[in-house]
């Protein structure tokens, strides 16, 4: 069970379990061999198409966007010692990533499909986004190796904290505290300086039992997670669906490497298995309710034309109203017009919104760099804070 060599296996060496090192042969193996134990290993790449920002892109990454909080170093946002002193950066990040904002990807639904067919032995994920759960993968089949937003507790007395309560704090941009000891509350995400979850160590040898190991969207650089593919037996099939070759995969006789993004790779595998319709149906279930409602509505040709005309008319009206507001602003009478008539439609709303934002943007430099005594993070999100602060509820 030592480390595999990183160089790819010679094409002259035939596979042992597969007819060829291809997706089609993997599908044949699943359908015609007694495959009943599939282990899936995933990383951040499985969630990219969901729109979750990455961490390290120079201008758009979450670490770059947290620079306004003056972190001593980027990873401090996940450092438990720093969190004890200043929880604000983490909760700023939590507001961006909290479950419910993103739809699971096709790859997440494929894992759900494996579970529905009774083939999934265990999913090991490095991700904290809970998208596997939202796709419908049963919680008892998931090992969140680096923790997740699924549960939360006090970092001092370890008291469990209600998920609905922490959701309210994240939405209000306030810092939750333990009702028992007033300690800081944190989702059970593994920070630097903390141990991995006990569930990881209790299940880490399961790849040894697998008939098939599927690795998706991970660089396999972080230990001990990175060692899991090497635990697979020599007679097990390993499949890598990734943008690049990682972790020595491709060095064994029955390794199949698919250099695609995760959604495209699972689509190819599902098609070869004859499961594509099942997969797309499961993924459709994850569509937001409002979108499902619209898509399920049947319209006649005339109704569709009427909806398009209404949409264009509304856009023209909004443009005209915006132009009117701009003219008024130049004349310096925007605010009086807003006060005199609060029912003039889009122009009034836009003027109010712009002025609210401007007021709070000016107020920011006077704020302290840390949370106030109520745990308010309004100074981090100035544009979203109501103008009448006396009505704020935290």
């Amino acid at each position: 069970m030592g480390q595999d060599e990183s160089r790819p296996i010679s094409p002259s060496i035939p596979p042992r379990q597969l007819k060829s090192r291809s997706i089609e042969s993997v599908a044949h193996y699943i359908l015609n061999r007694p495959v009943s134990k599939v282990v899936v290993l995933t990383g951040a790449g499985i969630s990219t198409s969901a729109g979750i920002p990455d961490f390290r892109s120079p201008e758009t990454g979450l670490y770059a966007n947290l620079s306004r909080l003056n972190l001593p170093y980027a990873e401090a946002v996940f450092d438990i010692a720093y969190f004890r002193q200043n929880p604000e950066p983490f909760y700023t990040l939590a507001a961006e990533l909290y479950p419910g904002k993103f739809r699971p990807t096709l790859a997440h639904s494929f894992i759900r499909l494996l579970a529905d067919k009774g083939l999934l032995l265990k999913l090991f994920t490095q991700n904290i986004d809970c998208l596997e759960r939202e796709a419908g993968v049963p919680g008892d089949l998931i090992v969140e190796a680096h923790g997740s937003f699924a549960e939360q507790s006090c970092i001092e007395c370890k008291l469990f904290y209600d998920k609905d309560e922490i959701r309210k704090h994240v939405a209000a941009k306030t810092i939750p505290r333990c009702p028992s000891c007033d300690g800081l509350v944190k989702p059970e995400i593994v920070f630097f300086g903390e141990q991995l979850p006990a569930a990881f160590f209790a299940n880490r040898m399961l790849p040894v039992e697998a008939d098939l190991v599927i690795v998706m969207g991970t660089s396999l650089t972080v230990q001990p997670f990175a060692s899991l593919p090497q635990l697979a037996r020599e007679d097990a099939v390993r499949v890598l669906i990734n943008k690049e070759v990682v972790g020595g995969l491709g060095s064994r006789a029955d390794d199949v490497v698919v250099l695609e993004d995760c959604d495209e790779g699972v689509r190819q595998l599902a098609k070869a298995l004859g499961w594509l319709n099942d997969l797309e149906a499961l993924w459709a279930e994850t569509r937001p309710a409002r979108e499902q409602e619209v898509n399920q509505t049947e319209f006649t040709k005339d109704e569709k034309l009427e909806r398009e005309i209404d949409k264009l008319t509304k856009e023209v009206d909004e443009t005209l109203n915006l132009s009117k507001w701009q003219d008024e602003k130049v004349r310096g009478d925007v605010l009086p017009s807003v006060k005199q008539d609060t029912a003039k439609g889009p122009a009034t709303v836009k003027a109010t919104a712009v002025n609210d934002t401007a007021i709070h943007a000016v107020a920011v430099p006077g704020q302290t760099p840390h949370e106030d005594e109520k745990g308010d993070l309004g100074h981090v999100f100035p544009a979203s804070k109501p103008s009448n602060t006396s009505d704020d509820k935290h």
Side-chain angles (χ1 to χ4, degrees), residues 52-312:
I52 295 179
D54 65 19
F55 283 84
R56 297 182 182 277
S57 292
E59 295 181 2
T60 61
L62 288 170
Y63 283 148
N65 289 330
L66 289 172
S67 61
R68 64 187 182 277
L69 296 175
N70 299 318
L71 292 169
Y73 52 95
E75 292 81 0
V77 69
F78 288 123
D79 188 300
I80 190 61
Y82 186 77
F83 178 80
R84 288 179 182 277
Q85 299 172 13
N86 182 5
E88 176 187 295
F90 171 75
Y91 274 102
T92 302
L93 179 65
E96 302 284 343
L97 295 179
Y98 208 76
K101 296 184 67 174
F102 301 95
R103 179 188 178 187
T105 67
L106 195 71
H108 291 106
S109 291
F110 181 76
I111 302 170
R112 156 80 184 276
L113 186 58
L114 290 174
D116 287 355
K117 292 183 177 294
L119 300 179
L120 184 64
L121 176 61
K122 196 69 73 174
L123 163 65
F124 292 83
T125 180
Q126 294 171 285
N127 300 337
I128 63 174
D129 52 37
C130 294
L131 288 181
E132 303 87 1
R133 294 173 182 268
E134 295 195 21
V137 180
D140 63 343
L141 295 181
I142 303 173
V143 173
E144 289 152 330
H146 298 160
S148 76
F149 284 102
E151 294 181 346
Q152 48 284 318
S153 60
C154 172
I155 65 171
E156 304 298 345
C157 71
K158 309 305 179 185
L159 180 69
F160 174 80
Y161 194 83
D162 183 73
K163 66 178 181 180
D164 292 330
E165 286 300 314
I166 198 169
R167 189 178 291 274
K168 290 177 185 176
H169 278 284
V170 170
K173 303 175 180 69
T174 56
I175 306 295
R177 287 190 173 272
C178 178
S180 176
C181 72
D182 199 43
L184 288 166
V185 170
K186 180 180 74 66
E188 294 187 359
I189 295 167
V190 178
F191 278 23
F192 298 112
E194 293 187 310
Q195 293 290 327
L196 267 60
F200 176 81
F201 297 103
N203 292 280
R204 68 174 300 183
M205 297 306 294
L206 284 179
V208 177
E209 301 178 24
D211 307 303
L212 170 65
V213 174
I214 301 175
V215 181
M216 295 193 286
T218 173
S219 61
L220 289 180
T221 56
V222 179
Q223 295 291 356
F225 189 95
S227 65
L228 295 177
Q230 313 306 332
L231 297 176
R233 302 186 314 270
E234 288 290 336
D235 63 345
V237 173
R238 302 189 304 178
V239 176
L240 173 68
I241 302 174
N242 210 43
K243 289 287 191 177
E244 58 185 358
V245 179
V246 296
L249 289 155
S251 60
R252 293 186 184 181
D254 291 300
D255 282 358
V256 175
V257 175
V258 182
L259 297 180
E260 298 278 2
D261 65 61
C262 296
D263 288 348
E264 177 57 28
V266 300
R267 188 185 296 277
Q268 291 178 17
L269 181 53
K271 183 177 181 180
L273 286 162
W275 297 353
L276 190 55
N277 289 339
D278 293 341
L279 175 59
E280 290 179 343
L282 278 182
W283 191 49
E285 290 179 8
T286 68
R287 187 183 298 125
R290 185 177 177 184
E291 188 180 333
Q292 287 188 39
E293 208 172 280
V294 172
N295 287 345
Q296 288 170 2
T297 304
E298 294 293 334
F299 297 105
T300 66
K301 198 174 200 179
D302 290 341
E303 287 173 334
K304 289 178 180 178
L305 179 60
E306 186 176 346
R307 285 167 62 84
E308 285 299 316
I309 292 173
D310 287 343
K311 180 181 176 183
L312 289 171

